[in-house]
Amino acid sequence: MQLDYILQAFTVFADGYGKAGSGEKCNLPKVKKKTEEFRGGGMLAPRRVSLGYEAFEFEADLSAFDPQVLALAGLYTGAKGVGFSVRGYLDGDQNSEHTAICQMRGEVIECDAGSWEAGKKAMLKFRTALDMVKLTMDGVVIWEIDIESGVYSVGGSDPYARVRAALGY
């Protein structure tokens, strides 16, 4: 058995600023299909029908009470939202090395300073609502979903091109 893609280090970026050393933990966006049960006349049992994806979120825990990130929680983020990304270095058996980059766009919807204790790190956990997610590994785009632009690419193919053409954009 070969072990590959073991995360060794990562860095969080918020609005173009790297948070090297302060990113303790992060949760990349979950790609989860939104489904609905459907059972039409004559069907023996219901089946699930895909209706797109659930809303995307990104969370990160920083070991710094970072004023730049706190300021991103403003009510108005502009039409294009805020850029976030996570860059990771992964390795594995037989000297394999890999890079992973998750680029995102959205807005900070929650900043949680947690509890403070004298002589301890003042942590900051933030959560975002996203409208764009793009995952690239070793220079290859795994998936790109841009809700506002109608971009949907998975493994190098664009299955949403037919929908965009039918809708005229």
Side-chain angles (χ1 to χ4, degrees), residues 141-158:
V141 176
I142 306 301
W143 38 258
E144 179 177 5
I145 304 167
D146 188 330
I147 297 164
E148 301 225 348
S149 300
V151 173
Y152 176 61
S153 174
V154 178
S157 69
D158 184 1

Side-chain angles (χ1 to χ4, degrees), residues 63-162:
S63 62
F65 192 59
D66 189 319
Q68 186 268 331
V69 173
L70 287 164
L72 295 176
L75 188 56
Y76 303 107
T77 57
K80 278 300 194 181
V82 177
F84 300 94
S85 63
V86 176
R87 298 179 68 93
Y89 171 79
L90 304 97
D91 71 2
D93 292 344
Q94 301 175 9
N95 298 321
S96 64
E97 294 181 88
H98 308 281
T99 58
I101 302 169
C102 186
Q103 297 167 286
M104 301 159 280
R105 182 185 63 233
E107 63 180 303
V108 174
I109 59 172
E110 181 180 353
C111 279
D112 179 1
S115 58
W116 284 17
E117 191 175 333
K120 302 250 174 147
K121 294 183 284 188
M123 301 287 292
L124 176 63
K125 180 177 192 164
F126 69 95
R127 187 165 59 105
T128 67
L130 304 172
D131 58 46
M132 189 281 291
V133 179
K134 179 179 180 181
L135 178 64
T136 306
M137 295 189 68
D138 296 329
V140 176
V141 176
I142 306 301
W143 38 258
E144 179 177 5
I145 304 167
D146 188 330
I147 297 164
E148 301 225 348
S149 300
V151 173
Y152 176 61
S153 174
V154 178
S157 69
D158 184 1
Y160 205 66
R162 297 184 311 268

Side-chain angles (χ1 to χ4, degrees), residues 14-83:
D15 200 21
Y17 295 93
K19 305 299 173 185
S22 68
E24 295 238 340
K25 178 173 85 170
C26 69
N27 293 321
L28 296 179
K30 209 182 275 188
V31 178
K32 181 180 178 186
K33 286 184 179 179
K34 182 174 184 71
T35 62
E36 186 175 286
E37 236 178 54
F38 172 76
R39 181 175 178 190
M43 292 176 67
L44 293 174
R47 63 172 279 224
R48 291 219 169 256
V49 178
S50 178
L51 300 173
Y53 290 106
E54 298 280 345
F56 299 114
E57 289 189 354
F58 165 65
E59 294 180 356
D61 292 2
L62 304 179
S63 62
F65 192 59
D66 189 319
Q68 186 268 331
V69 173
L70 287 164
L72 295 176
L75 188 56
Y76 303 107
T77 57
K80 278 300 194 181
V82 177

